């Protein structure tokens, strides 16, 4: 039996969790997430300095709560894992230093985990999925299509060249004076809007690459809003509905081609699966589109419970357990310093803009 304490502080959630792996499988013994949403709401987005300070104040209590909830002491823990990147450097430093301090004080090993690896492997914790599978990660910081072939074996097929999809939702909401976080606000407003009223752009449509771009769409939304100002409630609803349709269609086109490409690359996989992760996966229009795409192509859509799709520490502890089980605890994992940029697929070309914008692009 192996018990791992995980710590996640890469963005605006301070989280800690204890996950156990034994002969019967994996179990999440505790999963504590303290969100900072209220502290950032007034600014319409995550403010790095506020986030870092909030992590410092919260992390001890959150770790204690995770241990208490799991009913274990530090003595019983086998390893301490923390997100070491990618993310906001202030928060990463807090999580890594906390984990390293606990490791040093208890004499247990420390593991530096890539946040994206946490998202990538979650479906194995929740659904026991076998490799390989396709992952669509759509959050406030990331928009990626990744083939997950094994622990430490990731191939990025697509990413955003500017804003993340959740970020596009958040910026659209801010522009329309809707409350933060923007995704749920835009979705709510879109429900009573006319999606055909505005023809917003579908960036990179028709290109063979599987990348995304959302900043042009944001500009189009701003220009439309300025042209109509002052906006009626119906104008806001129509803009939201038209925006949501534009991003859903863009996603459908790119994901559809990814599913076909996955089939071609892995003809031997009898029951191919698409895993969706990240906060944007909560969007019902997007979820329905993914459902339809998968159904039409014979893929299984795996959507872990939202709590484990969004940022949490159980996925960090789980990634550590996967690495330990696979014998992949190398020097880098054992000692890595916090790093704001840490691509999951080290062979993928960094794209212009990626890593320079967004909470943790
Ligand atoms: O995964 P997450 O909780 O945090 C990280 O970004 O890591 O994702 C948060 C993002 C925010 O940008 C939020 O606006 C977006 O997910 N989001 C949504 C919805 N709910 C959350 N976007 C669209 N529709 C939603 N219902
Ligand atoms: Zn995340």
């Amino acid at each position: 039996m192996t018990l791992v304490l995980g710590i996640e502080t890469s963005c605006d959630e301070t989280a800690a969790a204890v996950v156990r792996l034994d002969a019967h499988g994996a179990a999440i013994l505790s999963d504590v997430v303290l969100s900072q949403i209220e502290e950032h709401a007034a600014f319409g987005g995550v403010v790095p300095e506020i986030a870092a300070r909030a992590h410092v104040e919260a992390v001890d209590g959150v770790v204690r709560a995770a241990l208490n909830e799991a009913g274990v002491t530090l003595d019983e823990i086998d390893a301490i894992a923390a997100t070491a990147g990618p993310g906001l450097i202030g928060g990463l430093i807090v999580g890594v230093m906390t984990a390293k301090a606990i490791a040093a004080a208890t004499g247990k090993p420390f593991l530096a985990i890539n946040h994206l690896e946490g998202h990538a492997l979650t479906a194995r914790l929740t659904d026991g999925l076998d490799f390989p599978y396709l992952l669509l990660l759509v959050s406030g910081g990331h928009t990626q299509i990744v083939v997950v072939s094994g622990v430490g074996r990731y191939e990025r097929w697509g990413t955003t060249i500017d804003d993340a999809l959740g970020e596009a939702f958040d910026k659209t909401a801010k522009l329309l004076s809707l409350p933060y976080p923007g995704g749920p606000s835009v979705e709510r407003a879109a429900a009573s809007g006319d999606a055909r009223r505005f023809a917003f752009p579908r960036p990179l449509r028709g290109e063979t690459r599987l990348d995304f771009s959302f900043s042009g769409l944001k500009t189009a939304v701003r220009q439309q809003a300025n042209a109509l100002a002052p906006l009626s409630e119906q104008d806001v609803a129509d803009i939201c509905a038209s925006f949501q349709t534009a991003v859903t269609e863009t996603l459908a086109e790119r994901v559809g081609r990814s599913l076909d490409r996955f089939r071609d690359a892995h003809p031997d996989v009898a029951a191919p699966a698409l895993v969706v992760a990240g906060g944007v996966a909560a969007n019902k229009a997007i979820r329905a589109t993914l459902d339809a795409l998968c159904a039409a192509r014979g893929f299984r859509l795996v959507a872990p419970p939202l709590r484990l799709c969004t940022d949490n520490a159980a996925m960090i502890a789980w990634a550590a357990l996967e690495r330990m089980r696979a014998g992949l605890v190398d020097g880098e994992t054992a000692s890595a310093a916090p790093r704001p940029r840490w691509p999951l697929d080290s062979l993928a070309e960094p794209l212009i803009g990626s890593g320079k914008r967004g909470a943790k692009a």
Side-chain angles (χ1 to χ4, degrees):
M1 181 184 87
T2 314
L3 275 178
V4 170
L5 168 67
I7 299 177
E8 155 63 42
T9 53
S10 69
C11 192
D12 61 342
E13 279 94 13
T14 315
V18 177
V19 178
R20 182 184 67 202
L21 181 64
D22 61 21
H24 306 291
I28 300 173
L29 301 190
S30 65
D31 174 22
V32 179
V33 179
L34 184 70
S35 170
Q36 303 173 358
I37 281 184
E38 279 174 23
E39 287 164 73
H40 301 287
F43 305 95
V46 178
V47 183
E49 291 78 6
I50 294 177
R53 204 171 320 129
H55 285 306
V56 171
E57 285 166 12
V59 72
D60 289 359
V62 167
V63 167
R64 205 170 298 125
L67 292 169
N68 286 346
E69 233 173 74
V72 300
T73 63
L74 277 178
D75 272 351
E76 295 166 88
I77 296 284
D78 296 295
I80 299 102
T83 303
L88 298 172
I89 189 66
L92 293 172
I93 290 173
V94 173
V96 167
M97 294 318 288
T98 303
K100 282 187 171 174
I102 297 172
T106 56
K108 318 263 170 153
F110 160 78
L111 280 86
I113 296 297
N114 183 315
H115 179 88
L116 300 172
E117 180 163 71
H119 280 304
L121 298 176
T122 298
R124 290 167 51 75
L125 168 64
T126 57
D127 293 74
L129 212 59
D130 286 329
F131 299 122
Y133 52 86
L134 197 62
L135 169 76
L136 172 69
L137 175 58
V138 276
S139 69
H142 309 287
T143 307
Q144 301 201 353
I145 297 172
V146 177
V147 179
V148 183
S149 301
V151 181
R153 293 177 57 209
Y154 313 102
E155 197 183 326
R156 195 187 73 200
W157 279 1
T159 187
T160 178
I161 62 172
D162 40 55
D163 294 348
L165 183 50
E167 196 180 359
F169 270 95
D170 293 337
K171 287 180 175 172
T172 295
K174 192 173 178 183
L175 210 85
L176 301 172
S177 304
L178 296 173
Y180 176 83
S185 306
V186 169
E187 181 173 16
R188 216 173 302 120
S192 52
D194 174 5
R196 282 159 313 178
R197 179 160 166 209
F198 306 110
F200 289 136
R202 273 62 166 163
L204 303 185
R205 183 162 57 179
E207 292 194 21
T208 49
R209 64 205 276 202
L210 295 168
D211 295 317
F212 299 90
S213 165
F214 295 110
S215 71
L217 179 58
K218 176 187 64 193
T219 306
V221 168
R222 185 188 310 115
Q223 285 169 344
Q224 192 55 256
N226 289 344
L228 290 173
L231 299 176
S232 69
E233 209 170 301
Q234 193 59 50
D235 290 333
V236 170
D238 293 346
I239 291 176
C240 287
S242 303
F243 164 85
Q244 192 170 272
T245 298
V247 300
T248 303
E249 284 182 15
T250 300
L251 210 53
E253 192 253 340
R254 235 86 357 134
V255 171
R257 282 196 288 122
S258 305
L259 297 179
D260 294 341
R261 192 169 147 188
F262 184 88
R263 257 251 196 268
D264 290 345
H266 300 280
D268 46 319
V269 175
L274 171 70
V275 175
V276 58
V280 184
N283 186 287
K284 292 191 188 65
I286 290 175
R287 185 69 76 90
T289 300
L290 297 176
D291 259 329
L293 282 172
C294 286
R297 287 171 169 82
F299 273 66
R300 180 175 152 215
L301 180 65
V302 178
L306 201 61
R307 193 182 161 78
L308 293 170
C309 267
T310 55
D311 289 352
N312 66 86
M315 70 179 188
I316 302 305
W318 172 247
L321 281 163
E322 287 257 43
R323 282 202 162 258
M324 291 159 80
R325 180 167 62 178
L328 287 172
V329 182
D330 50 18
E332 187 181 46
T333 315
S335 67
R339 47 203 288 200
R341 301 186 66 175
W342 185 1
L344 197 51
D345 176 353
S346 55
L347 300 179
E349 295 261 321
L351 289 182
I352 300 163
S354 68
K356 300 208 177 85
R357 290 161 181 251
K360 40 183 192 186

